Amino acid sequence: MLTIWGRPNSHNVKKVVWFAEEIGRPFVRLNIGGAFGITDSYREMNPNALIPTIEDDGLVLWESNAILRYLAARYGEGTLWPADPAARARGDKWMDWQFGYADAQRDAFLNLVRHSPEERDAAAIARSAEATAKMMAILNQALADRPWLSGDNFGVGDVPMGVYAHSWFALDIERPAMPHVEDWYARLRERPGYAAHVMIPLT
Ligand SMILES: N[C@@H](CCC(=O)N[C@@H](CS)C(=O)NCC(=O)O)C(=O)O
């Protein structure tokens, strides 16, 4: 049994919980972080006091994308984790790229989701929305000639940006048309794990 620590509405926790469904690994998710706080015993597992952390078969691991790579290599080899290094790398790069995207989206997300209307910084939201649109245009181009970021088939490389795509479409920001991203997002929404764990309210 896989144990996942983290509140359900965290982008980084969503990645892991959704992917656990994709690989078919039974799991339990325990609330921690945000309003649930961080306990001393959690800090012993994860000195960053950030979520998520997992325990799987005696392995304690943090850093969401490292967790995804571990789960994919262990439980999705040959499918969600292509055996060919070049094929794998094509999807894998989008996992690192996602951290830059998260930086671009942060101000829009924090202001619109975490702050009260009176506290919102409209200029910061507009700058952040523009930065996300520029990055989404790159993603849109990448999806023009292949159905998935991972290539011909869905794979672990689709997971981090898949989670952020949901918040991009859910945020009340200006969004230029991105037909290939919209098509990819529609196909993600058909995946039961995505519908159950990613398509939840942002708050
Ligand atoms: N690079 C880390 C970042 C982890 C992170 O920043 N997690 C956020 C939630 S998405 C967090 O722990 N925030 C504090 C909290 O929720 O208590 C990862 O990918 O796991």
Side-chain angles (χ1 to χ4, degrees), residues 7 10-13 15 32-35 37-38 49-52 62-65 67 99 164:
R7 62 183 160 82
S10 139
H11 285 95
N12 291 313
V13 173
K15 293 176 196 172
I32 195 135
I38 298 282
L50 294 172
I51 51 174
W62 36 263
E63 280 299 329
S64 58
N65 289 353
I67 293 170
F99 284 118
Y164 278 86

Side-chain angles (χ1 to χ4, degrees), residues 142-166:
L143 287 164
D145 62 357
R146 79 204 76 154
W148 301 100
L149 293 177
S150 301
D152 291 337
N153 299 298
F154 171 83
V156 68
D158 290 275
V159 173
M161 277 312 298
V163 168
Y164 278 86
H166 172 63

Side-chain angles (χ1 to χ4, degrees), residues 42-43 45-51 62-63:
Y42 184 79
R43 239 174 248 277
M45 283 193 304
N46 183 340
N48 308 293
L50 294 172
I51 51 174
W62 36 263
E63 280 299 329

Side-chain angles (χ1 to χ4, degrees), residues 89-148:
R90 280 188 205 106
D92 192 14
K93 71 172 180 297
W94 294 107
M95 300 179 68
D96 290 346
W97 190 85
Q98 168 263 300
F99 284 118
Y101 178 83
D103 287 344
Q105 190 182 274
R106 183 165 295 111
D107 275 347
F109 185 86
L110 289 178
N111 275 282
L112 291 167
V113 178
R114 300 266 183 264
H115 296 173
S116 66
E118 305 76 54
E119 290 170 328
R120 284 179 193 154
D121 178 342
I125 295 171
R127 275 195 304 273
S128 176
E130 198 183 330
T132 62
K134 278 191 185 141
M135 293 194 78
M136 279 297 179
I138 294 169
L139 203 74
N140 194 55
Q141 190 57 42
L143 287 164
D145 62 357
R146 79 204 76 154
W148 301 100

Side-chain angles (χ1 to χ4, degrees), residues 56-93:
D56 185 55
D57 211 7
L59 172 72
V60 172
L61 191 61
W62 36 263
E63 280 299 329
S64 58
N65 289 353
I67 293 170
L68 293 178
R69 288 185 179 100
Y70 160 74
L71 293 175
R74 179 143 191 198
Y75 301 107
E77 175 121 46
T79 55
L80 298 167
W81 184 249
D84 172 48
R88 192 163 64 229
R90 280 188 205 106
D92 192 14
K93 71 172 180 297

